[in-house]
Amino acid sequence: MILKIENLNKSFGSLKVLENIEFKIKRGGKITFLGPSGCGKTTLLRIIAGLEKYSGKVKKSFKKIGYIFQEPRLIPWKTVYENLKFVGKDDRKIKEVLISLDLFQFKDYYPAKLSGGMNQRINLARALIVEPEILLLDEPFSSLDIHIKWKLINDINAQIKNRKITTILVTHDIKEAISLSDRILILSNRPAKIIKEFITNEINEFFLEKEVIKLWGDKYV
Ligand SMILES: Nc1ncnc2c1ncn2[C@@H]1O[C@H](COP(=O)(O)OP(=O)(O)OP(=O)(O)O)[C@@H](O)[C@H]1O
Ligand SMILES: [Mg+2]
């Protein structure tokens, strides 16, 4: 197991956000937490990344982690290349990742000159430069238009397969969940609890949509 979580609880003051979260993930596994808005998804990823205090057990068997944040995190006054240089010192590695994502020609651009989709590809490049064993994806597609979104999903799938990276995606989007994972864990409304689990191969989008409507009620969008 690359990650094993037991009896994880988290509150912000009196606001309970995560309740008794328990799961494990094998090296190379692709898991999605499908949860309604505001339920605690980002908090769960932040705990896995070591950015947040918690109570319970989080057993990590990895050192290198890539994190694609929900909000853009590129440094605006640095070029694409400089943004990548900031996390990984090795020029050969930067070049390899840029080429593998068709970004090399944009290496001297500033983020503001590039589209939202391109910015997310650079975020992906930045996450891959550290050669992560595990990649955390926090709704990385929500601001992208549909065509760019599917291209990025295909690229991520190819990259995680080639590089044998374990991934954890959090989203409220059923199609994203199905296309990027081999297991889908459904979270309840806040405080987030794991209320159901599916093997992606055994279900389809329509079945999952019906389940989610039942489980989330009017929080389903
Ligand atoms: N640092 C914090 N201090 C206080 N409350 C917080 C903090 N971080 C998150 N929260 C609250 O915890 C709850 C869960 O937040 P979180 O961002 O984890 O949810 P989410 O599922 O990622 O939401 P979204 O769908 O909007 O991305 C929210 O009510 C949020 O306002
Ligand atoms: Mg969030």
Side-chain angles (χ1 to χ4, degrees):
M1 291 299 153
I2 189 163
L3 176 66
K4 187 172 173 191
I5 291 192
E6 284 174 60
N7 192 25
L8 174 65
N9 287 277
K10 171 74 186 174
S11 299
F12 292 106
S14 60
L15 184 75
K16 190 152 179 51
V17 175
L18 300 176
E19 189 172 314
N20 193 28
I21 300 288
E22 305 211 297
F23 69 95
K24 40 193 178 181
I25 178 165
K26 280 193 211 130
R27 205 164 268 277
K30 302 199 299 183
I31 191 173
T32 291
F33 286 93
L34 186 63
S37 64
C39 77
K41 300 182 293 298
T42 297
T43 305
L44 177 61
L45 289 190
R46 285 176 51 82
I47 289 171
I48 294 168
L51 300 172
E52 201 80 67
K53 289 186 190 148
Y54 58 88
S55 79
K57 270 194 205 160
V58 176
K59 189 166 180 293
K60 303 186 210 182
S61 309
F62 58 85
K63 291 201 176 68
K64 288 194 266 176
I65 186 165
Y67 196 158
I68 301 190
F69 296 97
Q70 189 166 6
E71 73 286 0
R73 285 283 182 102
L74 295 172
I75 303 164
W77 58 87
K78 289 185 186 287
T79 63
V80 169
Y81 169 79
E82 288 163 350
N83 265 283
L84 299 180
K85 188 81 180 164
F86 199 68
V87 287
K89 300 275 177 258
D90 184 345
D91 272 357
R92 278 230 318 264
K93 186 73 204 165
I94 294 174
K95 190 170 175 191
E96 185 256 310
V97 170
L98 282 175
I99 289 171
S100 78
L101 287 169
D102 285 331
L103 285 171
F104 190 65
Q105 56 190 309
F106 302 105
K107 69 180 174 44
D108 297 321
Y109 282 55
Y110 288 93
K113 287 263 185 237
L114 297 167
S115 65
M118 288 297 272
N119 269 269
Q120 255 334 22
R121 293 167 76 78
I122 298 155
N123 279 313
L124 174 62
R126 194 174 58 169
L128 293 173
I129 291 259
V130 301
E131 300 186 314
E133 298 164 78
I134 189 163
L135 183 62
L136 308 181
L137 300 161
D138 192 349
E139 308 208 40
F141 315 109
S142 48
S143 61
L144 305 181
D145 73 42
I146 196 96
H147 173 73
I148 290 168
K149 167 170 153 172
W150 290 107
K151 175 154 175 37
L152 186 58
I153 287 178
N154 285 337
D155 283 345
I156 291 179
N157 268 327
Q159 294 281 341
I160 58 188
K161 194 169 170 203
N162 282 343
R163 298 170 197 265
K164 300 187 175 60
I165 302 172
T166 309
T167 54
I168 302 181
L169 168 72
V170 302
T171 182
H172 60 262
D173 187 294
I174 286 168
K175 287 186 185 165
E176 288 173 20
I178 288 192
S179 46
L180 266 161
S181 52
D182 42 43
R183 270 163 74 207
I184 298 172
L185 308 189
I186 314 264
L187 298 174
S188 66
N189 290 318
R190 194 182 63 234
K193 295 179 283 293
I194 297 172
I195 44 178
K196 215 144 200 188
E197 170 163 356
F198 296 108
I199 307 290
T200 312
N201 274 339
E202 297 174 353
I203 57 165
N204 64 32
E205 195 187 318
F206 305 104
F207 171 84
L208 188 58
E209 184 168 20
K210 273 204 302 208
E211 286 294 311
V212 162
I213 290 169
K214 269 194 281 182
L215 295 167
W216 295 353
D218 59 9
K219 278 271 194 167
Y220 176 72
V221 276

